[in-house]
Amino acid sequence: MVRDRRGQWFDPELVDLFATLEDDTTFQDSLALPDVGEQVAAAEPTAAVVLVDNPRLDRIAEAFAWVIDAKSPFTFRHSMRVARWSVDIGARLGLSPSALTRLRRAALLHDIGKLGVPNRILDHPGCLTDRDWKVVKRHPQHTYDILVQVPPFAEFASDASAHHERLDGNGYHRGRAGHTLTQTARILAVADNLDALLADRPYRPAVRPEAVVDILREGAGTAYCPICVDTGIVALAGWRAPSAEDRSDVSPLDQVPEPAITLS
Ligand SMILES: [Fe+2]
Ligand SMILES: [Fe+2]
């Protein structure tokens, strides 16, 4: 596969170097060692180490959001929009600028674990088999496992991976009880559902905003935090729903207003 993609996906020089490892059993065995992650980190040339400040951390989170969203046409710009809805809700709830920055990064990266779910499953039209559904339900666990290893993102790994949890404990992947879910996790759950419902999915068309409000209200107190639902509904009221005459190149879904607040 690597040879086939030489010059298209991959740098030819790197492909040729990679090919020299084909018969290197010592290298191949080393891939199964438990400390392979540390070995890779130790091999990184020190000259290539880049120190990042806060704006750069934001850009890294945004870049990963693009990668995550580009995996499937159905999730195009999903993470970016969840970040906007989350910050909108968080700002209305009076979160501090630093809490909003943290919330925004958690929202941008909440579905990073989806990179571990095959497209055969993500883009499947119709119902999933039990086995495939189990694979989908593991994506928040992958989100946690990835973020917890990145020091600046580890502090919100738990919140980001809780976006499919429910107050009544019937969510996934941990089935956490409501009182363990932080405000960040609660906001993310509402923002994630809000955006997912407003977008087309392989198994259903987009849900109308009025029906989204009903679904969120129905889940308030059992699935979602009622305060976050009420605030999400207020945020949704400021959003213009797609219309048949819409000829704009920008999808109305992407016209979620950028909240006028200062992050830090
Ligand atoms: Fe998710
Ligand atoms: Fe999501």
Side-chain angles (χ1 to χ4, degrees), residues 20-264:
T20 65
L21 298 169
E22 200 168 14
D23 301 318
D24 187 339
T25 48
T26 316
F27 170 77
Q28 285 162 19
D29 291 345
S30 74
L31 296 178
L33 294 173
D35 65 341
V36 67
E38 284 107 84
Q39 288 199 35
V40 170
E44 186 180 21
T46 44
V49 172
V50 176
L51 291 175
V52 297
D53 53 11
N54 257 325
R56 193 150 181 161
L57 271 180
D58 285 326
R59 289 210 302 282
I60 291 170
E62 284 159 18
F64 271 100
W66 275 104
V67 175
I68 300 159
D69 293 352
K71 184 167 163 72
S72 162
F74 295 100
T75 54
F76 184 63
R77 291 186 60 79
H78 167 70
S79 307
M80 303 295 270
R81 291 194 304 261
V82 172
R84 287 194 184 183
W85 287 121
S86 298
V87 173
D88 192 333
I89 296 170
R92 288 171 198 273
L93 289 173
L95 264 65
S96 69
S98 63
L100 289 172
T101 297
R102 181 181 173 280
L103 171 66
R104 181 171 180 271
R105 288 178 189 162
L108 287 169
L109 298 168
H110 77 282
D111 270 338
I112 196 168
K114 274 206 179 149
L115 294 176
V117 180
N119 278 70
R120 172 186 68 75
I121 300 177
L122 284 183
D123 300 341
H124 181 75
C127 292
L128 292 178
T129 63
D130 286 351
R131 209 167 140 189
D132 286 349
W133 186 227
K134 265 190 196 150
V135 176
V136 171
K137 282 176 142 183
R138 275 204 294 269
H139 81 269
Q141 174 71 56
H142 300 322
T143 290
Y144 180 81
D145 292 342
I146 294 166
L147 295 182
V148 84
Q149 292 184 60
V150 185
F153 299 152
E155 51 147 349
F156 56 75
S158 173
D159 284 342
S161 69
H163 63 277
H164 292 295
E165 300 289 0
R166 293 168 46 113
L167 288 188
D168 60 11
N170 289 325
Y172 61 92
H173 63 292
R174 294 205 171 113
R176 282 168 58 177
H179 70 270
T180 71
L181 299 172
T182 64
Q183 191 180 33
T184 300
R186 290 165 183 235
I187 293 172
L188 280 180
V190 170
D192 183 44
N193 274 283
L194 193 59
D195 185 70
L197 288 166
L198 289 170
D200 286 327
R201 282 290 180 265
Y203 44 88
R204 58 143 177 86
V207 178
R208 284 174 300 104
E210 314 84 72
V212 171
V213 169
D214 290 343
I215 293 170
L216 291 178
R217 281 221 173 98
E218 225 166 86
T222 48
Y224 318 116
C225 159
I227 298 168
C228 296
V229 165
D230 287 346
T231 317
I233 290 170
V234 175
L236 183 61
W239 176 77
R240 188 176 64 83
S243 73
E245 306 84 61
D246 230 312
R247 298 196 186 279
S248 159
D249 283 346
V250 185
S251 156
L253 275 180
D254 291 332
Q255 294 170 13
V256 180
E258 189 81 75
I261 46 121
T262 321
L263 301 175
S264 85

